[in-house]
Amino acid sequence: MAKKAIVMGATSGIGMEVAKLLAAKGWQVGIAGRRIERLQALISQGGITCYQQIDVTSPDAPAQLLELIEKLGGMDLYFHSSGIGWQNNSLDIEKEMKTLETNGLGFTRMVDTAFNWFATHHHCNPKARIACITSIAGTKGLGAAPAYSATKRFQNHYLECLSQ
Ligand SMILES: NC(=O)c1ccc[n+]([C@@H]2O[C@H](COP(=O)([O-])OP(=O)(O)OC[C@H]3O[C@@H](n4cnc5c(N)ncnc54)[C@H](OP(=O)(O)O)[C@@H]3O)[C@@H](O)[C@H]2O)c1
């Protein structure tokens, strides 16, 4: 039976390419992100199974992820690529807060939802995985991007904790 992956942040960049690669390898893939026209364009190209418009900063996002898992008929891999970041030398507070909301709160909201889903559906596939694109900025802070670097370190630590 084909394995099933959810790709969060599949409307561009790394997430989009990973979604296409997984589909090309025979996975059933459910994609998500805010830009619905891009999700629909990917579906129309063929290969992707289903989509859900999800904003990880929304309190409704966990329910929407569960809906997408339902549409896909299960999940063997949760792949989280959603993220934002800026070089922010002027320390624009608005940019810093948005980064915290997406890479900190949004990341935690979605990864916890996936983790709890796996915890309660363990019988489905004991080899199920959560994978996230964090960043080298989480290893050593980049002076021009404090919130980005700090949230990427947060993500690394968070995942290390969940792995225990
Ligand atoms: N590119 C690099 O060199 C690099 C290096 C290290 C780490 N990374 C990390 O890799 C990940 C992907 O980066 P990328 O380069 O592929 O960037 P990208 O092309 O800008 O893709 C970012 C993805 O995140 C999604 N996203 C942003 N805010 C979201 C929100 N509130 N809710 C749901 N989805 C949201 C976007 O979808 P919508 O806008 O449609 O919502 C988009 O699909 C990021 O976490 C980034 O920090 C990238």
Side-chain angles (χ1 to χ4, degrees):
M1 203 165 74
K3 287 190 192 153
K4 300 178 168 80
I6 299 281
V7 180
M8 186 64 54
T11 53
S12 61
I14 297 168
M16 181 191 277
E17 293 308 314
V18 168
K20 287 180 182 170
L21 284 170
L22 287 169
K25 284 178 181 284
W27 288 61
Q28 288 181 6
V29 182
I31 53 171
R34 292 167 302 177
R35 286 171 289 177
I36 194 162
E37 67 289 351
R38 289 192 175 219
L39 296 170
Q40 289 168 339
L42 266 173
I43 291 279
S44 70
Q45 287 167 25
I48 304 292
T49 308
C50 52
Y51 75 94
Q52 184 85 23
Q53 186 179 31
I54 300 179
D55 180 343
V56 301
T57 67
S58 161
D60 296 339
Q64 288 160 350
L65 173 56
L66 294 176
E67 206 176 314
L68 182 56
I69 297 169
E70 191 76 31
K71 279 184 196 169
L72 192 60
M75 176 170 70
D76 300 289
L77 168 67
Y78 174 76
F79 188 91
H80 189 98
S81 192
S82 292
I84 59 169
W86 289 277
Q87 293 218 352
N88 192 11
N89 286 312
S90 63
L91 220 51
D92 176 332
I93 291 172
E94 201 58 33
K95 285 182 175 169
E96 296 298 86
M97 295 300 120
K98 278 194 180 139
T99 306
L100 298 180
E101 279 167 16
T102 304
N103 301 357
L105 299 179
F107 164 87
T108 305
R109 181 178 286 119
M110 304 320 289
V111 167
D112 283 5
T113 304
F115 188 96
N116 287 333
W117 190 89
F118 284 131
T120 51
H121 297 77
H122 192 64
H123 58 282
C124 291
N125 179 3
K127 290 187 176 168
R129 290 285 181 272
I130 292 174
C132 306
I133 306 293
T134 63
S135 176
I136 193 76
T139 308
K140 185 177 188 327
L142 307 176
Y148 182 77
S149 302
T151 52
K152 291 299 180 177
R153 179 166 288 214
F154 169 86
Q155 293 180 352
N156 289 345
H157 275 252
Y158 203 91
L159 294 170
E160 189 183 351
C161 293
L162 292 191
S163 77
Q164 293 169 26

